[in-house]
Amino acid sequence: MEYSKLVEVYERISSTTKRLEKTFHISELLKKTPVEDLDVIVLLLQGKIFPAWAEKKLGISAKLILKVISKATGASVFDVENEWKKTGDLGIVAFNLIGKKSQQTLFSSKLSVKKVFENIKKLPELTGTGAVDKKTSLVAQLMTSAKPIEAKYIVRTVLEELRVGVGEGSLRDALVWAYFGESLGVRYDREANDIMLDAEKRRKYNEVVDVLQHAFDVTNDFSSVAKAAKKSGLKGLKEIKLAPGKPIKVMLCQKVEDVEEGFERVGKPARIEYKYDGFRMQIHKVNGKIVIYTRRLENITNQFPEVVDVIDKNIRGKEFIIDGEAVGYEPKSGRYLPFQNVSQRIKRKYGIDEMAKQFPVEINLFDVLYHDGKSLVKESLDKRREILEKITKQSSKKLVIAKVDYTDDVKEAEKFYKEALKAGNEGIIMKRHDSVYRPGSRVGGWVKIKPVMESLDVVITGAEWGHGKRSGWLTSLTVSIIGDNGEMLEIGKVGTGIKELEESATGGGITFESLTNMLKPLIISEKGKEVAVKPEIVIEVNYEEIQKSPTYASGFALRFPRFICLRDDKGKEDASTLNIVKEFFSKQRK
Ligand code: AMP
């Protein structure tokens, strides 16, 4: 398929905010896509080269793209950089400069989707001497054959900043429309912005959506779902099963005010568990090997050799997927430590064994999703917990099952909540006792209760070059939360809580220098002392109060925000939302 066909669809979907209209354009493209191009198209539509579960990352910096555009257009790096400063978007820069050049030359050949994909896919494989030049050539090669509008999307894809707004929901529905739309009677009416189904047809439609969603939930890979749907319809989709070795999204929860609201949401009796202050671990056993993933599905097996060992010895079964929270504790006293103290273990590449001794973790298991050939996600929580207890040999401070209270009594639940807080936990999670496991979902029968004034997880979207003794460092971080359409909304500037000197050996905290090193490759534009950075790094911040503010796009400002820690385990999509901020704002007034 020609790349220009995909680009046309990018343009159409970015020019509307209507979800159904986006769905329509995507479904029309999918209908036309031959099966051999399907996985590539599905990935590129999401602005991805690798599926979410794959280990590979592109990691291409804006600096390299400056060189690429210069090479492909003949403009000097200086000029490209100037254009970039004006527009703040390298996609637009590529569009403008290629446009100028193409007035003189005609395009040599038509770009295919496969060619674009293959060239970009090779990028992370290039390492060692000369890698930068080789990477530059591979992308420049695409740019010289690209029309201006194609160049814009190539740049954005390479920078992993597609910005056309294809959500998982739209893609899922587009697959349903493309492959089952005709038989279900789906007809998108642009005027009405509706798919015109009566109640009976809508019921059938929803059933198909559920089947497709489940197939996605257990594979976390729309490409394989699309291929199954195209090749063998509903039957093919139903055959897709959970498999150990492929991480799936973790089940999440919404926040409720108190225990009473909790019971209203999850019913009585409920299973109430401690909400541990650690980080999620999804642990798989496959082919005799233990593999550990974070909630973002990053493989952290190498960083936690002692966990591998403990799971291997104490969980019965040839193959399984279990879910739990790793909590750090102080080796001498056994006292639990807040997340920030152990978080540095997640990205650690060296000195792993010393780290394991210095910051040991206790695994608190709370679920099992697969065991010896059987997917358990559709079983009730009661049943899953029963199996978990049977297969786990608990051992204090290493591997335990999450503390639970099974009750229908508000007073008892409140007592349990207080006890949880007293023991140093974040709060409690109330779970519907007969709920299935809904991967990635926040509406699947789990709710959390935490004390009112809690920290926020914000994304770093900008910074300022420091002066005086802070010169050379990025200081004063601009931080953002997530708006209703997934956009970044600024909410404040954070400068306190970050250290000037080397991190202490006891861990926790971060220096300006290491922050600067993390942020530098993410810079997307610079104006004077201000830089904008690609939204990627999530930090947890405290603050004194949330105020209304006309200055920031979110409409709110954090008063005296203070850096607590890096949330290495979270991606920008896990950051706090505008709704949460509004909720906190209204609560603090009470
Ligand atoms: P939050 O990050 O505030 O949305 O809370 C959800 C997170 O709480 C999960 O991703 C887990 O990492 C963590 N958690 C701690 N204890 C539990 C538990 N007993 N059940 C489920 N999640 C838990």
Side-chain angles (χ1 to χ4, degrees):
M1 186 184 265
E2 281 172 24
Y3 187 58
S4 61
K5 292 265 175 321
L6 175 63
V7 167
E8 262 171 43
V9 176
Y10 283 149
E11 285 282 284
R12 284 196 202 121
I13 45 188
S14 51
S15 67
T16 175
T17 51
K18 288 188 192 135
R19 199 175 86 83
L20 289 184
E21 197 177 329
K22 286 181 196 272
T23 308
F24 171 72
H25 294 309
I26 303 169
S27 72
E28 290 299 298
L29 178 75
L30 291 170
K31 279 183 198 164
K32 283 184 260 163
T33 307
V35 74
E36 62 273 16
D37 281 338
L38 201 52
D39 38 1
V40 170
I41 287 285
V42 168
L43 282 169
L44 289 176
L45 271 169
Q46 302 168 85
K48 288 184 181 157
I49 298 295
F50 305 107
W53 48 266
E55 300 288 308
K56 287 194 181 144
K57 297 254 149 44
L58 281 179
I60 299 295
S61 68
K63 283 253 147 62
L64 190 125
I65 296 299
L66 285 176
K67 278 194 200 149
V68 168
I69 300 177
S70 154
K71 187 166 177 166
T73 60
S76 70
V77 173
F78 181 78
D79 286 345
V80 181
E81 204 161 357
N82 266 344
E83 279 285 311
W84 182 32
K85 280 190 180 142
K86 270 190 244 155
T87 59
D89 180 336
L90 280 170
I92 307 270
V93 175
F95 176 83
N96 290 343
L97 294 179
I98 298 261
K100 269 190 198 155
K101 186 197 153 208
S102 60
Q103 287 162 2
Q104 293 134 32
T105 46
L106 274 175
F107 313 107
S108 43
S109 61
K110 279 190 176 148
L111 273 179
S112 72
V113 166
K114 273 256 156 72
K115 172 77 183 161
V116 173
F117 184 80
E118 291 303 329
N119 273 29
I120 304 180
K121 197 176 159 195
K122 281 184 203 143
L123 297 173
E125 285 158 26
L126 301 169
T127 50
T129 41
V132 172
D133 286 342
K134 284 186 204 146
K135 287 183 187 187
T136 312
S137 295
L138 270 183
V139 188
Q141 196 187 42
L142 295 177
M143 304 283 260
T144 41
S145 324
K147 297 189 193 104
I149 193 75
E150 293 174 335
K152 169 169 141 190
Y153 287 102
I154 292 170
V155 163
R156 288 191 177 172
T157 307
V158 174
L159 287 173
E160 297 170 283
E161 284 274 303
L162 190 62
R163 288 195 239 162
V164 294
V166 179
E168 266 170 19
S170 315
L171 193 52
R172 176 200 62 202
D173 293 354
L175 289 167
V176 174
W177 297 14
Y179 303 126
F180 307 97
E182 226 175 272
S183 60
L184 289 167
V186 171
R187 184 176 63 78
Y188 176 61
D189 184 306
R190 204 170 300 204
E191 288 278 279
N193 190 32
D194 191 31
I195 51 174
M196 316 309 257
L197 298 176
D198 62 26
E200 178 53 19
K201 282 188 177 155
R202 168 93 37 196
R203 195 186 54 74
K204 286 205 176 119
Y205 172 81
N206 287 339
E207 271 174 23
V208 178
V209 170
D210 282 349
V211 172
L212 210 130
Q213 178 71 47
H214 183 71
F216 173 64
D217 283 346
V218 298
T219 52
N220 205 11
D221 179 357
F222 271 123
S223 292
S224 53
V225 173
K227 272 193 284 185
K230 186 168 173 96
K231 277 194 202 154
S232 27
L234 266 190
K235 191 172 155 281
L237 287 177
K238 284 185 180 158
E239 276 164 11
I240 295 182
K241 296 264 154 60
L242 187 66
K246 268 196 177 183
I248 60 167
K249 290 196 177 165
V250 296
M251 182 160 170
L252 294 165
C253 44
Q254 281 184 339
K255 188 167 189 260
V256 292
E257 199 62 18
D258 51 28
V259 163
E260 264 170 70
E261 195 189 343
F263 276 124
E264 269 165 39
R265 293 280 288 279
V266 305
K268 283 182 181 177
R271 287 188 167 270
I272 311 180
E273 294 172 0
Y274 279 0
K275 184 178 191 307
Y276 298 96
D277 186 11
F279 56 98
R280 195 85 174 245
M281 276 191 178
Q282 188 182 91
I283 309 174
H284 293 230
K285 183 170 183 182
V286 61
N287 299 329
K289 282 214 164 65
I290 305 291
V291 191
I292 311 172
Y293 298 96
T294 64
R295 62 184 269 166
R296 299 184 67 199
L297 316 182
E298 279 170 326
N299 187 333
I300 49 165
T301 314
N302 291 340
Q303 286 88 313
F304 293 90
E306 86 281 22
V307 176
V308 169
D309 193 50
V310 116
I311 297 290
D312 201 25
K313 292 195 177 119
N314 296 293
I315 303 281
R316 208 150 39 78
K318 277 202 174 70
E319 286 190 326
F320 51 75
I321 305 175
I322 48 178
D323 193 3
E325 185 90 346
V327 192
Y329 62 90
E330 211 177 59
K332 274 199 195 121
S333 63
R335 205 170 46 88
Y336 287 123
L337 293 170
F339 169 76
Q340 64 204 78
N341 294 64
V342 277
S343 66
Q344 49 182 320
R345 284 198 63 183
I346 297 175
K347 291 242 159 100
R348 196 73 175 203
K349 297 254 156 47
Y350 53 92
I352 303 270
D353 290 335
E354 291 91 86
M355 269 275 147
K357 280 198 197 105
Q358 207 176 349
F359 300 105
V361 292
E362 176 187 77
I363 311 299
N364 293 269
L365 293 177
F366 47 75
D367 227 312
V368 52
L369 319 184
Y370 185 97
H371 191 255
D372 282 357
K374 200 163 178 277
S375 166
L376 303 171
V377 288
K378 294 217 164 160
E379 298 287 347
S380 71
L381 177 61
D382 286 339
K383 177 86 188 167
R384 299 200 305 273
R385 176 90 186 200
E386 191 190 311
I387 296 174
L388 185 64
E389 280 169 15
K390 265 197 204 139
I391 62 171
T392 309
K393 199 172 134 214
Q394 300 193 54
S395 113
S396 174
K397 283 290 183 252
K398 285 188 174 156
L399 181 69
V400 294
I401 294 187
K403 192 144 169 140
V404 66
D405 187 21
Y406 199 0
T407 182
D408 60 2
D409 182 55
V410 172
K411 288 243 149 52
E412 185 180 326
E414 278 167 353
K415 200 169 137 235
F416 188 75
Y417 177 38
K418 284 203 185 100
E419 185 190 303
L421 291 177
K422 212 165 151 215
N425 298 292
E426 273 193 315
I428 49 172
I429 302 208
M430 296 180 73
K431 301 184 176 177
R432 181 181 291 276
H433 73 93
D434 56 0
S435 59
V436 298
Y437 192 95
R438 295 272 312 271
S441 176
R442 284 195 186 271
V443 286
W446 294 6
V447 295
K448 61 182 170 188
I449 307 179
K450 302 200 241 183
V452 174
M453 273 322 261
E454 56 171 302
S455 58
L456 287 172
D457 293 328
V458 292
V459 188
I460 305 178
T461 48
E464 231 174 74
W465 287 111
H467 45 80
K469 62 178 180 170
R470 291 188 176 179
S471 73
W473 292 338
L474 285 167
T475 56
S476 185
L477 311 172
T478 306
V479 294
S480 299
I481 52 168
I482 304 183
D484 295 340
N485 295 313
E487 74 278 26
M488 293 288 140
L489 300 174
E490 290 183 2
I491 191 164
K493 285 185 185 270
V494 184
T496 40
I498 306 161
K499 297 177 188 168
E500 288 189 349
L501 298 173
E502 230 351 86
E503 274 114 288
S504 70
T506 50
I510 193 165
T511 57
F512 280 112
E513 191 175 351
S514 15
L515 251 182
T516 307
N517 289 339
M518 289 169 76
L519 291 172
K520 255 186 174 168
L522 301 177
I523 293 178
I524 43 181
S525 68
E526 289 200 52
K527 229 184 214 162
K529 290 214 162 292
E530 308 256 341
V531 303
V533 297
K534 190 161 149 188
E536 213 164 77
I537 298 177
V538 180
I539 61 175
E540 193 175 333
V541 293
N542 258 337
Y543 47 87
E544 209 145 86
E545 200 190 0
I546 299 176
Q547 299 171 319
K548 284 235 170 200
S549 156
T551 323
Y552 295 116
S554 61
F556 293 98
L558 300 179
R559 191 169 134 88
F560 302 133
R562 187 181 173 79
F563 175 94
I564 308 177
C565 64
L566 279 177
R567 291 298 317 209
D568 282 334
D569 61 329
K570 293 195 174 179
K572 62 172 192 271
E573 58 289 347
D574 301 313
S576 304
T577 58
L578 182 59
N579 278 340
I580 292 275
V581 170
K582 281 183 185 160
E583 194 187 311
F584 288 2
F585 175 76
S586 62
K587 270 187 209 146
Q588 72 190 8
R589 302 271 126 178
K590 277 183 192 164

